[in-house]
Each structure stands twice: as structure tokens, then as C-alpha cells.
Amino acid sequence: MTHRARRRSLMLTSAICLVAFVAPADARRHHRPPAAATGSSSSPAASPASAGRPAGAVIPSAFAQPGDADDGPAIGRAAAAAVARGVPLYIDRDYRFSGTLQLPPNLVLRSDFSDTKRLISTGTGDGIVISGPIDMDGVVIDGALPQDAQRSTNIVSGHCLIGIHGDMKGNPSYLSGVRIGRLRIQNTDRIGIVLANLADVQVGRLELHRIYHAASIWTGMKGGHVGQLIADDIGNLRTSGHRGGQAFLMTAEPAVQTDWYAIPGALPVSGFQLDNARITRTTDTAFYVNDDRAKGIDGLVIGTVTIDTAGKDGFKIRSAFRPVTNTRIGSVQVKRVAGVGFSLQHVRRVAAQTVSVDQAGYDAVGDILGHPAPFNGDTLARSISNVPEGVAIVNSDIVSIANLNVSHVTGSPANGAEGNGISLAGNKQVSINGNIDDTAGAGLRDSSNADMDMALTLRDVSRRAAGGAFALVTNDSRPWNATASYAAGDVVTLNGGAFRAIDQNSGQSPPDAAHWAPVNGDGSGNRYRLRMIESSGRPFAGNALRVNGAPDGMDVVVQADPKVFTRSGGAVDRISPAARMVRHDVEDTQDN
């Protein structure tokens, strides 16, 4: 075979390989089943990173010129040449640059997913900005954070190591054609990656390591599919309202302070799918979906999320105004979290198959730092555990958890918050089946809910609350007072309506939507099947079930051993005041 024939054969082979890489991604995009329903962990647009330099690819070092201050200009020239020639840009070694790289549209970027072939951003502004279609695989982007760097407690950068975005100013629009096979982002105190206003983004595997800020921010996703997200060692140590430490944050985020990002131009999120997320060691909420800017978030499909050691909450979806709607969740497993393990606030139509929370109220920041840092108020460099709970669902409609397991919930070390297994407030149509084990506060705390369906086994709960209850059904509302100070979560009544505070406020009258959300539940139509087990042999002077201000129409069945609750002067049940219930049965069980 002649040299020319051999070269044409290699080029043909390369073209076939490129087609083999792209075509399956298109097929998966249109035909893949939902991860939450199937447990699939397939990775869209993901193929193994290229082994070596692709045929015909250009490399940045070939475009270096005398007088270049660093590798940035050479990378820019090489990228432009690659697009012009229709060949990949290959990162063949470490390249350092201090300015912002603006990569051209339609670039094919390749490397070997190697820590010896990195794009290293040594500046403090945005590292790489992409505003056009791109196809990348095997790329490692490094923020040059020194190995001895400390997590910041001061003002931190609002810039990102890499930003990929559609138009957010002038005429906001979704950008199509973004495909990422494997991408690793590491070693930075800037935001790791910001993806904004993208349509049908395809990500195979995104790794986020040692990022002392928010690791990934997702804004304005129309469709899109992420196969796997892996994050470890994430976040800084500022106070709770300003801390950056989320591994996955879906929101219109004011902390992003680049010249191309604009919150008014953030578009709605719809139909986004994440197959698998594995998150370890974050100083803030590990997985957070937040629509406080009322952009609209609908139709999320979340497969499996595993979280270990989070300095605030574990898994959280919330909105202050319009609800986050139509979310499907396969499995969420949270372990060692300072605040709430699994939290839903102002959502509508959420179905979760399995939720597991183990060790809420844990000093996660102390674990990360290697010395105790328990919560003692909203201070720097501390775990944020002012209200530790296993599960908290607030002001939400039509929520179901098919299989729930909560264990080992402690109270707050600073403010006396009890540490409940499940806390429900102001909801309507919530259905939960599961087990609650070993909690400082009540196994179940139910306040101002309606049309609830609870089937729970409560074992060894209410360990901290003197004279407490395994399960507490109550109405926490009180008349609104113009001179009183209210904390987030407080419930008040005014002019026949009930409202829950969404922030700390005083003198702000409901129904001011900036500070108050209407409470859905009136307490009626609730159904409880509660099995109470005390296995430790301790005396328990409280109640198996306590109902304060009970509404009419509850259907309650309690299984409990009367001897457990009466040996120290307690009671199996206490109803105060007596309510007209559809059914109220206390069944004896010796399983204790």
C-alpha cells in the first residue's frame, strides 16, 4: 500500500470512528427510557476518551509564537485552525493560560482524561467561556489551586473555571449542540462550571474535585441528559446565606458575576434528566434545586443520588413562589448531613421511589476539616444544623415516597431544635411508607396538613424531648402580630387564611409573597397507620401519639405496647382537645 493510500485509509477509519461516537448519542437522546423508572445509568454522548492524538488533529504547541506570554494565544489560534479545517483540537500536554479563553463555535476538543494533559487556568476571572456548539471528550480543566490552599471565609470570586451558555442578554435563547463525553474540573476557588440556557445538552460523565465554591450551576435547561456526576471535596466556609458549597445547584444564581450571565435572561427549566450523582464532602447543601427567582422548573427526572457528608442539607428542592412541578426521583441515599437529609419546599407532584437518610445533625464540616466544628449559630467555618431533620416537606402538594428509611437524627447543639425524623407542615396529599429509627425528636411531626396518608414504623424515637411523643399531630399557627418577629417556617393566621414565613421578617403582613406562602393544609382528611416500638428498655414518660388542636375527620390506628408508655407515667395516646375522628384505634403490640 502506498503512503497516500495508507493515509486515506487512516482518514476513512477516523471518520467511521467519529460517526460511531456521534450516532449512538443521537439514538439515546430520542429513545432512552427515563432513569427514575428503569434505573438506567447509560451515559449520553459518552465514549471512552480517545487513546492518543486523533488523526489529523491539531495541537496548541504547533501554533505558539515568539512573544506569547503564556499558552493562551496558542490555544486560541489552534482552536480557530481546528474549526476551519474541520479537525479536532487535541490537548497533548499541560497548557497554562492566565486570561479568558473564548473557544470558537463548532470546536471538537479532545484529550485523554489525564492529569498530565490539562488546560490550567492560572487567572482569577473566567477560565474558559463557550457560547457556541461544542463537542468535547476526555478534557481536564484545572484551576491551579495550591495544594496548601485553605477554604475561604471571605468574599469569593463570582467567576467560573468554565462557562457554557446561550444568550442571556438582549434576546435570551437556548443554545443547542453542546456535547460532553467526559469532563473533569478540579482545583479551584472559583465556581467550577456554569451551564446556562442550553437545549438538549448531553453529558456523559462530569467529575468535580477540590472546588472551594459551588461546583456546578445549571440554569435554563431545556431537555438535556447527564449520565453521571461525581463530586468530592466541595465548598468554602462562609456563613450559611453566602456559602458556596453545592455540588449540583440548579437555579438562577446571583453568585455568578461574569459579564455574560444575567438572571433576568435565565430561561425556564423543563425535561432535564440526571441518571446518577455521587457526591461526597460538601460544606453546603450537596444537591439543590431552587426556583426562588420564579423562572419555572418542570419535569425533572432524577435517577440515583448518593450523598455522603454534607455541611448543610443533603438533597433539597424548593421554591419561594411558583412551585417546582412534576419531578420523578428513583433513589436518594443521604449519609452524614448537618441539616435536613431530604427536603421539599413548595413543590407539586413529586414521586420518589426510595429515600434513605442516616445521621442527620452530623458535624459534617468538622469531618471535612478534621476537627470539631459543630453548629453554634450562623458563623464561619461551621456545620449548618440549626434545624436537623431526616425529612422535611413544607407547603407542597401531591408528594409520595414509596419507601422511606430514616435513622439516627440528633438535635441541634446550639438552639435546642429537637431533631425529628419526619417534619410535615402545610402540605396537601402527601403519602409516605417507611421506617423511622433513633431520633432525638418525634418520629413524626405533623402540623397543619390535609389529606395525608402515613404508614410508618417508629422505633426508639423521641430520645431527647422530655415528655415528648413518638408522633405529634399539631397545629402550630397563631394570629399574626405586626410587632412580632417571625423565623422561616413560622405559621400565622390572618383574615381566615394561614401563612408560613419563607424568611425572617417583622411587620410584613401576609399575604406579602416576598415573605409569606399560603399554607395548604387545614388538618382534615388525614390517615395515619403508626406502629410504635421501644426496644431499648428505657422508661418513656411521653406519649405514643399526641394530638394537639386535632382537626375533625382524622383516621388513626396506633400499634403500641401500653406497658412501654405507662410504666413511667406516660400514656399510649393523648387527644387534646377531643376531636371528632372517623376512627381512633390503639392496638396492643408486644413487639418492643
Side-chain angles (χ1 to χ4, degrees), residues 537-561:
R538 62 167 179 163
F540 185 76
N543 303 100
L545 170 67
R546 179 180 298 165
V547 180
N548 296 331
D552 293 342
M554 290 200 308
D555 181 352
V556 181
V557 175
V558 174
Q559 289 184 319
D561 180 358

Side-chain angles (χ1 to χ4, degrees), residues 115-128:
D115 270 337
T116 62
K117 301 178 181 181
R118 299 167 293 174
L119 292 172
I120 302 174
S121 171
T122 61
T124 58
D126 289 349
I128 298 172

